[in-house]
Amino acid sequence: MTVARSVADVLADHTLFEVESIDRMYLNVWQPRLAYGGGVQGFFVGHRGHHYASTALMDPMTKTFVADIHGFVAARGLEMVHFAKGQRKDDLAQEFLSRFSEPEGVLFVGRAQEKAGVWRTQRRYNTATGESYAWLVRSSAFINFFYFYCVDDDFGPFFLKFGTYFPYTAKLCINANEWAKRQAAKAGIGFTALDNGFATIEDPADVAAVQAICDGLTEPVIDALLRKWLARLPHPFTPADRAAGYRYQLSILQAEFSLTQMLDKPVSGRIFFEQTIRENLDIGRPDQVSLIFNRQVRRNTPGMFRTRVITDTVTPSLHIDYKHCRIKQYHKEGKALRTETTINDTYDFVIGKRLTNLPALREIGFSANRRLLGVQRLSHDPADGAEALAAISDPVITTTGQRVPGMRFTDPRVQALLSALCVFRLLPRGFTNRDLRIHLAPQLGLRPEHMTSGQITYDLRRLRTHGLIQRIPKSHRYRVTDPGLREALFLTRVHTRLLRTGLAEIHGPPMPTKLRAAARAYDNAINELTRTAGLAA
């Protein structure tokens, strides 16, 4: 293979294979019926038969749950780790994992103090009788969390952490790429593992099978993992509570959606990032980031919109922020182009947090990755630009052999036509031959009656053949196509604001302008070079 010259070359000719997969997921494990005061009242009064709901009734549950955890650790000879402030829990988990030889089980149990929402009892008074009564209110406090770091035969390493205050909300963290690698190994697919992915796939025909495995991680599969380990680990609620419908459910706190494209050689990745970082630092601006997420960004849209380049040693990575969402793009292990979209708040896309919304989030995350690559490809592929320009400016031979002239965008008549298209896009019912004549004639210094119907028909044929307009079926009206609007806006702006203005600065009256000074400096540099080389100027 030759060395890539552009981003488009890397993506088209220097990518060996690609895999699209969910990466890490951080899930909330919660009791929907205990998320509000009335539900807590119903648990203690309606279900357990107490006269009132109070934190005094929660304390025995907490003590029993904590005692069960210590008993679980002691019975299995596990190590209880007290996490220090700032300690990297994943690094410690890797140490335990390196010494673990069983297909699945608990690696260790960790304990840490973290802030969480809890229920408290507040004393209130009846304004009519003056009697006091207990009232449950939501509050926050630093409480103990117990981390169960485990290995599952299907999912590999994961952790489940429980809070020790009612209603004992938990968090589940899984790595979907690890799940995919284990499923591929069970299916007999030969591959070399990449950190969070596949470095090589022995048989190219198996790439589709690997992608199908990644697509198979659905809500029931994740939910089954939770049910399996809730049955094995200490549980804060009794079997009677669970039989009464007090069961944990899953919601999405954070989800990462990755696209891994394995490259043929490290230099391809370096070329990609050198060009991308140089040309796409503005992609995080509100007017640009909407191209990636296909959503409107207005002045009052909350959130942060920015692009950052972060360098770890000599490896750069591109970071794009949209509200609470992040896109990260980096050269993974010098072998792959990795594009990751992380959704931290599903409400940014008007989608609920329940795990049932995973298919909709997959569509958003994976589409964002593809859109980013599409924007980068367009901004770095002059071949695509040349093809688009040729499609407008070159003549077209129809299937009947008729030659339709091209539309040279420097031609005043073509500029007038393009300007008219920008106006006609606003007409919901499209436009007619007469509408085009009325708008076109004044721009050419003519009166509408001085232009014949045949001349306008000729222009309509050119616009339609080059894909700028299309005929509305069963009518004599036309509408502007989406590509037609984009190309008309771009070409009219370039002609009016860039070419005419720039040439006026160079060839106009002798006034000091930056462009004139640059042209003069360039001429002087060329003259100096020819004199130095001993050539005749």
Side-chain angles (χ1 to χ4, degrees):
M1 286 188 177
T2 58
V3 175
R5 295 175 298 171
S6 67
V7 167
D9 284 346
V10 173
L11 298 177
D13 301 325
H14 297 267
T15 300
L16 302 178
F17 67 89
E18 62 182 32
V19 175
E20 203 172 50
S21 173
I22 299 174
D23 196 4
R24 290 184 177 86
M25 291 190 69
Y26 198 44
L27 303 160
N28 193 32
V29 185
W30 62 306
Q31 292 270 5
R33 298 177 62 182
L34 303 178
Y36 57 99
V40 178
Q41 180 80 9
F43 176 80
F44 286 105
V45 178
H47 169 58
R48 290 203 166 183
H50 296 285
H51 295 292
Y52 58 88
S54 169
T55 52
L57 302 174
M58 303 174 187
D59 186 58
M61 294 180 64
T62 296
K63 290 179 178 177
T64 300
F65 181 41
V66 173
D68 288 345
I69 293 174
H70 285 286
F72 179 87
V73 171
R76 289 159 178 77
L78 300 174
E79 186 173 341
M80 175 72 76
V81 178
H82 300 274
F83 293 125
K85 184 177 180 179
Q87 183 178 14
R88 288 183 56 85
K89 301 178 181 66
D90 287 347
D91 293 342
L92 184 62
Q94 288 299 321
E95 294 179 14
F96 278 89
L97 185 62
S98 64
R99 302 192 298 266
F100 191 77
S101 57
E102 300 297 324
E104 60 181 23
V106 180
L107 295 175
F108 69 98
V109 179
R111 183 170 68 179
Q113 276 204 338
E114 299 174 10
K115 194 173 185 178
V118 297
W119 288 105
R120 294 188 185 277
T121 303
Q122 188 180 84
R123 184 170 296 278
R124 296 189 177 183
Y125 295 89
N126 189 314
T127 56
T129 64
E131 295 180 353
S132 64
Y133 60 93
W135 188 262
L136 289 172
V137 295
R138 292 287 293 182
S139 181
S140 60
F142 280 93
I143 65 173
N144 283 329
F145 277 87
F146 285 94
Y147 286 73
F148 293 89
Y149 276 86
C150 311
V151 176
D152 184 78
D153 186 47
D154 286 325
F155 276 82
F158 73 96
F159 74 77
L160 181 66
K161 72 170 183 177
F162 272 100
T164 53
Y165 273 42
F166 190 88
Y168 313 106
T169 301
K171 302 288 188 296
L172 173 66
C173 184
I174 62 174
N175 189 318
N177 272 309
E178 291 300 318
W179 175 83
K181 287 190 286 189
R182 286 177 175 249
Q183 303 312 305
K186 290 181 180 182
I189 297 175
F191 66 90
T192 303
L194 180 74
D195 178 33
N196 275 1
F198 298 84
T200 62
I201 298 176
E202 293 180 5
D203 187 351
D206 287 335
V207 173
V210 170
Q211 185 59 63
I213 288 173
C214 295
D215 295 339
L217 183 61
T218 58
E219 175 204 354
V221 177
I222 300 173
D223 188 74
L225 172 73
L226 175 67
R227 306 299 164 197
K228 173 182 177 179
W229 285 92
L230 284 178
R232 296 184 179 186
L233 300 175
H235 202 295
F237 293 92
T238 65
D241 296 335
R242 283 171 268 172
Y246 291 96
R247 302 178 73 246
Y248 282 109
Q249 301 296 328
L250 287 167
S251 63
I252 300 170
L253 290 177
Q254 184 186 81
E256 297 178 359
F257 302 92
S258 68
L259 173 63
T260 306
Q261 297 167 295
M262 291 303 304
L263 304 177
D264 57 350
K265 58 187 71 173
V267 68
S268 299
R270 292 196 295 271
I271 291 172
F272 179 93
F273 279 97
E274 285 173 3
Q275 297 195 18
T276 297
I277 290 174
R278 183 174 64 246
E279 300 293 339
N280 287 103
L281 286 180
D282 65 340
I283 195 63
R285 290 170 47 189
D287 59 331
Q288 298 290 327
V289 78
S290 59
L291 296 173
I292 301 173
F293 291 98
N294 196 27
R295 300 185 67 83
Q296 291 186 351
V297 179
R298 300 184 176 91
R299 290 184 178 181
N300 60 347
T301 301
M304 182 178 294
F305 309 92
R306 62 180 180 177
T307 308
R308 294 172 294 154
V309 176
I310 299 176
T311 302
D312 181 11
T313 61
V314 296
T315 303
S317 57
L318 185 67
H319 299 250
I320 300 167
D321 297 346
Y322 169 79
K323 294 186 179 181
H324 302 92
C325 183
R326 305 285 185 269
I327 299 184
K328 179 182 179 182
Q329 198 174 51
Y330 59 100
H331 197 190
K332 191 171 186 65
E333 298 184 12
K335 302 176 182 177
L337 170 62
R338 186 67 168 264
T339 308
E340 295 175 352
T341 294
T342 302
I343 297 176
N344 296 301
D345 188 349
T346 63
Y347 293 135
D348 286 346
F349 304 96
V350 199
I351 295 176
K353 291 181 177 291
R354 293 291 185 98
L355 189 58
T356 52
N357 295 299
L358 183 58
L361 291 179
R362 288 173 65 104
E363 178 65 24
I364 291 172
F366 292 141
S367 295
N369 293 338
R370 297 290 185 182
R371 285 175 178 271
L372 174 60
L373 290 169
V375 170
Q376 293 169 334
R377 183 195 300 266
L378 287 176
S379 64
H380 292 279
D381 192 359
D384 286 348
E387 182 179 343
L389 183 61
I392 298 175
S393 59
D394 289 355
V396 175
I397 305 299
T398 66
T399 55
T400 60
Q402 183 181 14
R403 183 182 185 275
V404 179
M407 303 184 64
R408 296 179 292 107
F409 80 98
T410 55
D411 184 351
R413 190 182 186 92
V414 171
Q415 279 297 312
L417 286 170
L418 296 175
S419 299
L421 295 188
C422 298
V423 176
F424 292 151
R425 176 66 176 201
L426 302 176
L427 302 179
R429 296 181 61 247
F431 66 97
T432 63
N433 183 304
R434 182 174 180 273
D435 295 328
L436 181 58
R437 181 191 306 176
I438 292 173
H439 282 80
L440 186 62
Q443 298 186 67
L444 300 176
L446 302 173
R447 297 178 62 84
E449 56 269 22
H450 292 162
M451 298 190 70
T452 65
S453 178
Q455 289 175 318
I456 302 301
T457 300
Y458 168 80
D459 288 328
L460 287 172
R461 182 165 58 248
R462 285 203 295 170
L463 291 171
R464 188 173 58 179
T465 303
H466 289 87
L468 302 178
I469 64 172
Q470 60 185 10
R471 189 171 182 173
I472 299 176
K474 300 180 181 179
S475 74
H476 294 288
R477 307 184 71 88
Y478 301 85
R479 66 164 60 96
V480 182
T481 63
D482 290 338
L485 176 64
R486 291 193 295 267
E487 291 164 3
L489 287 171
F490 177 76
L491 292 175
T492 53
R493 288 170 178 171
V494 167
H495 181 266
T496 303
R497 301 181 185 180
L498 182 62
L499 293 182
R500 292 174 60 181
T501 304
L503 291 173
E505 286 193 16
I506 294 175
H507 298 290
M511 296 176 60
T513 64
K514 291 184 178 180
L515 193 59
R516 186 187 293 269
R520 188 182 300 113
Y522 184 76
D523 288 339
N524 293 336
I526 293 294
N527 292 335
E528 180 63 26
L529 180 63
T530 55
R531 282 196 298 268
T532 304
L535 300 175

